[in-house]
C-alpha cells in the first residue's frame, strides 16, 4: 500500500481531497522539483498561450494555403507531409498565430504531454487552439526547456495538470506555473 503524510496546507492549496492526487507520479515529481532551486515556466518564456490558433477553416491546396499542423503532424518527422492547408484569405491577424523556429509546442487536449520543437520545416505554420505555444526569453534555453518537458519529471507534471470528464484538457494558466529546475547543464542541454 502506498501512503504519504501531507500537510493540510497542501490540501488547501491544491483544492483536492483525493489521496491518489497526492500520490500520483506527477505530484511526486513536482514536489521533488520544487524542493530544489527552480523557477516558474512563465518567467522563462516570452509568450505562452493556446490562443492564436484559428477557428474558421477553409481547406485548399498547398499552393493557395498556409500549412495547418496538428500535434499529430508535429510529432512526425515531416509535419508538412500529412497536414492540411487552410486558405490564406482567412487572414492570420498576428504573428502569434504562426509557429516560429525553436518555439516549443505542447498538446493540451486529448493526448496530454505530447511535446514538439518547431524547426525550420514547421516555421510559418498555424494550428488550432488545442496546442500551447511558447518560446524562451533567454538565449540557449529553448532546448533545455524542451528536454525538461519531455523528461520523465516534466512530462509527469504536465499530465498531472489534466482535467476534464469526457476529454482530457490542460488549462494554459496551469501550464504557465510548471516548475522548471535550475540546473548547471542548461546551455549544454540546449
Amino acid at each position: 500500500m502506498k501512503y504519504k503524510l501531507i500537510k493540510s496546507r497542501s490540501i488547501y492549496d491544491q483544492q483536492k481531497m483525493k489521496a491518489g492526487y497526492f500520490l500520483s507520479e506527477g505530484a511526486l515529481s513536482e514536489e521533488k522539483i520544487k524542493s530544489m532551486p527552480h523557477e516558474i515556466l512563465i518567467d522563462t518564456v516570452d509568450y505562452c498561450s493556446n490562443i492564436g490558433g484559428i477557428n474558421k477553416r477553409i481547406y485548399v491546396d498547398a499552393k493557395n494555403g498556409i500549412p495547418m499542423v496538428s500535434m499529430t503532424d508535429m510529432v512526425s518527422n515531416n509535419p508538412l507531409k500529412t497536414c492540411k492547408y487552410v486558405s490564406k484569405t482567412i487572414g492570420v491577424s498576428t504573428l502569434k498565430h504562426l509557429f516560429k523556429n525553436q518555439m516549443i509546442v505542447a498538446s493540451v487536449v486529448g493526448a496530454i504531454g505530447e511535446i514538439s520543437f518547431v524547426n525550420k520545416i514547421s516555421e510559418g505554420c498555424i494550428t488550432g487552439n488545442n496546442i500551447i505555444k511558447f518560446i524562451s526569453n533567454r538565449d540557449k534555453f529553448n532546448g533545455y526547456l524542451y528536454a525538461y518537458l519531455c523528461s520523465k519529471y516534466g512530462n509527469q507534471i504536465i499530465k498531472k495538470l489534466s482535467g476534464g470528464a469526457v476529454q482530457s484538457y490542460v488549462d494554459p494558466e496551469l501550464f504557465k506555473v510548471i516548475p522548471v529546475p535550475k540546473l548547471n547543464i542548461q546551455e549544454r542541454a540546449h
Side-chain angles (χ1 to χ4, degrees):
M1 181 164 111
K2 288 172 73 174
Y3 73 92
K4 177 184 174 188
L5 297 176
I6 60 169
K7 297 182 186 269
S8 60
R9 180 72 189 173
S10 297
I11 295 170
Y12 178 78
D13 290 344
Q14 298 296 323
Q15 297 291 301
K16 304 277 184 189
M17 283 293 289
K18 295 181 179 179
Y21 175 85
F22 294 99
L23 291 172
S24 74
E25 293 294 324
L28 298 173
S29 294
E30 185 175 38
E31 185 179 304
K32 183 170 187 147
I33 298 300
K34 285 184 172 180
S35 71
M36 59 178 64
H38 69 282
E39 49 197 325
I40 303 302
L41 180 81
I42 193 62
D43 294 334
T44 68
V45 297
D46 274 336
Y47 170 74
C48 180
S49 179
N50 69 334
I51 298 171
I54 59 166
N55 292 321
K56 184 177 179 182
R57 299 173 187 163
I58 302 169
Y59 296 110
V60 296
D61 59 10
K63 70 178 184 173
N64 294 316
I66 301 168
M68 181 177 166
V69 297
S70 67
M71 203 59 203
T72 304
D73 298 323
M74 283 303 297
V75 296
S76 71
N77 63 350
N78 184 358
L80 300 183
K81 186 176 182 180
T82 56
C83 75
K84 294 181 179 181
Y85 289 79
V86 293
S87 175
K88 293 176 182 176
T89 62
I90 62 167
V92 177
S93 59
T94 86
L95 291 176
K96 290 184 178 177
H97 287 88
L98 302 175
F99 285 169
K100 296 179 193 172
N101 191 29
Q102 296 196 6
M103 183 177 268
I104 301 168
V105 293
S107 175
V108 293
V109 176
I112 305 297
E114 292 282 338
I115 308 289
S116 190
F117 197 78
V118 177
N119 58 22
K120 290 182 181 181
I121 294 171
S122 305
E123 189 171 28
C125 295
I126 56 176
T127 189
N129 290 337
N130 61 348
I131 295 177
I132 288 182
K133 303 177 287 274
F134 52 98
I135 192 162
S136 174
N137 56 15
R138 303 174 190 169
D139 284 340
K140 298 183 180 177
F141 192 75
N142 273 340
Y144 169 74
L145 197 53
Y146 170 73
Y148 167 64
L149 293 173
C150 287
S151 75
K152 174 183 169 185
Y153 290 102
N155 205 264
Q156 288 173 342
I157 292 170
I158 293 170
K159 288 179 180 178
K160 170 191 157 276
L161 299 175
S162 68
V166 176
Q167 185 173 28
S168 297
Y169 175 79
V170 174
D171 186 319
E173 295 304 311
L174 293 175
F175 199 89
K176 291 176 183 180
V177 296
I178 291 174
V180 179
K182 291 182 180 182
L183 302 174
N184 60 2
I185 62 163
Q186 292 176 357
E187 191 171 314
R188 193 175 61 190
H190 171 77

